[in-house]
């Protein structure tokens, strides 16, 4: 029972602390609610529909474990310092980066300070509820933290991770930057970004940013859905081309 309550609390925290509601915390909360129902009514385990749901839940957990292993393995492709850094955008609040965006920028700043010859592309368009582009907000943040403007290139048209990478590579080619890229994003997001980049022919490696503990479960679960979707889409595209 305590486990069920804990799961529901973990996935509902982002709703109150960051007004985050997505398929990740909805899924997590429903799983916790389902476990709570089982603990309160153990007799229902004899019912067919409950057994079917349990089997589906176990299969989903196994798939999640398999994807998580792949997420962890993507970190073996670490940057060496000569790569062009692509910082992927996410939500901004007003004219300032959100917590998750700041986490990515902090990782990028550390990398840029460590390798002063490195150039970076900050990538992200203007969302529906945003007054400026994510790329502009990221550029301003890096400038305020001491990165010279000559090292920063803006890609401010993209709306998806796939577009982030495609449009950033266009800027890299147009400006004669190193086509080998280090992709900077939160850890949970990097595997999908790397998957999309490599499927597009990019030579890329991963620069991970830590995620606040109270946001990680929600966005991790949401990312599982996204990875499954893109894995299926890429396989279908490859099958069609072959």
């Amino acid at each position: 029972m305590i486990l069920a309550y804990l799961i529901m609390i973990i996935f509902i925290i982002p709703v109150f602390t960051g007004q985050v509601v997505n398929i990740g915390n909805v899924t997590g909360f429903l799983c916790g609610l389902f476990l709570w129902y089982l603990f309160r009514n153990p007799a229902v385990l004899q019912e067919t529909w409950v057994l079917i749901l349990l089997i589906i839940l176990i299969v989903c957990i196994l798939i999640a474990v398999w994807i998580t292993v792949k997420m962890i393995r993507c970190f073996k492709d670490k940057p060496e310092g000569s790569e062009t850094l692509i910082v992927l955008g996410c939500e901004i609040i007003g004219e300032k980066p959100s917590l998750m965006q700041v986490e990515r920028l902090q990782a990028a700043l550390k990398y840029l300070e460590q390798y002063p010859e490195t150039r970076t592309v900050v990538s992200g368009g203007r969302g529906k509820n945003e007054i400026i582009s994510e790329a502009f907000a990221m550029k301003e943040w890096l400038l305020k933290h001491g990165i010279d403007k000559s090292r920063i290139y803006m890609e401010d048209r993209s709306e998806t991770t796939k577009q982030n990478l495609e449009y950033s590579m266009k800027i890299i080619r147009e400006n004669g930057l190193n086509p080998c890229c280090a992709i900077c994003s939160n850890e949970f997001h990097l595997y999908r970004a790397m998957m999309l980049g490599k499927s597009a022919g990019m030579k890329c490696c991963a620069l991970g940013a830590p995620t606040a503990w109270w946001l990680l479960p929600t966005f991790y679960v949401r990312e599982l859905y996204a990875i499954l979707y893109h894995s299926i889409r890429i396989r279908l595209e490859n099958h069609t081309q072959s």
Side-chain angles (χ1 to χ4, degrees):
M1 187 69 73
I2 294 175
L3 176 62
Y5 280 125
L6 183 62
I7 291 173
M8 287 189 285
I9 290 171
I10 287 174
F11 283 97
I12 206 170
I13 285 176
V15 178
F16 296 102
T17 56
Q19 296 183 336
V20 175
V21 179
N22 59 39
I23 194 171
N25 51 3
V26 170
T27 298
F29 184 82
L30 289 177
C31 287
L33 189 62
F34 178 58
L35 290 176
W36 173 85
Y37 177 76
L38 292 183
F39 288 128
R40 287 291 300 270
N41 305 279
V44 300
L45 286 170
Q46 299 178 8
E47 297 185 22
T48 304
W49 69 272
V50 173
L51 291 175
I52 292 173
L53 285 179
L54 277 175
I55 292 171
I56 292 173
L57 182 60
I58 292 170
V59 171
C60 288
I61 290 173
L62 291 175
I63 293 174
V65 170
W66 173 66
I67 293 176
T68 302
V69 170
K70 288 181 172 291
M71 285 179 169
I72 295 171
R73 284 180 177 174
C74 87
F75 286 99
K76 69 180 181 180
D77 297 323
K78 296 182 179 179
E80 298 177 354
S82 60
E83 299 88 352
T84 300
L85 181 65
I86 298 176
V87 187
L88 302 182
C90 64
E91 181 187 15
I92 57 173
I93 302 172
E95 297 184 7
K96 296 182 179 180
S98 62
L99 172 60
M100 198 171 293
Q101 185 68 83
V102 170
E103 290 166 342
R104 300 178 187 188
L105 287 167
Q106 288 172 338
L109 177 64
K110 184 178 179 181
Y111 182 83
L112 293 170
E113 289 176 338
Q114 185 176 1
Y115 303 105
E117 299 301 316
T118 299
R119 301 293 188 268
T120 183
V121 180
V122 288
S123 178
R126 177 181 171 184
K128 293 180 180 179
N129 299 317
E130 297 172 343
I131 60 176
I132 59 174
S133 71
E134 295 165 3
F136 183 80
M138 287 191 282
K139 180 178 180 180
E140 290 297 299
W141 191 95
L142 289 173
L143 290 173
K144 289 178 181 178
H145 286 78
I147 302 302
D148 191 271
K149 64 180 181 180
S150 64
R151 300 174 66 190
I152 307 171
Y153 296 80
M154 280 204 314
E155 182 290 296
D156 57 4
R157 298 185 299 117
S158 58
E159 297 180 358
T160 65
T161 301
K162 187 173 184 289
Q163 291 178 351
N164 283 146
L165 299 173
E166 290 176 351
Y167 297 165
S168 294
M169 282 306 300
K170 184 178 180 181
I171 290 174
I172 288 170
R173 288 192 294 267
E174 290 174 347
N175 290 276
L177 305 178
N178 187 350
C180 296
C181 301
I183 300 174
C184 178
S185 188
N186 293 81
E187 297 128 326
F188 66 84
H189 185 225
L190 271 176
Y191 172 68
R192 178 161 58 98
M194 295 276 287
M195 178 177 65
L196 291 170
K198 289 180 178 180
S199 71
M202 289 175 60
K203 185 176 181 181
C204 50
C205 52
L207 180 65
T211 306
W213 69 267
W214 50 275
L215 287 175
L216 182 58
T218 288
F219 284 93
Y220 162 76
V221 174
R222 189 187 74 163
E223 192 66 15
L224 294 176
Y225 284 103
I227 289 171
L228 281 174
Y229 167 76
H230 285 289
S231 296
I232 294 171
R233 183 185 60 80
I234 290 171
R235 287 180 180 275
L236 289 175
E237 287 179 356
N238 292 338
H239 178 74
T240 302
Q241 292 173 1
S242 62

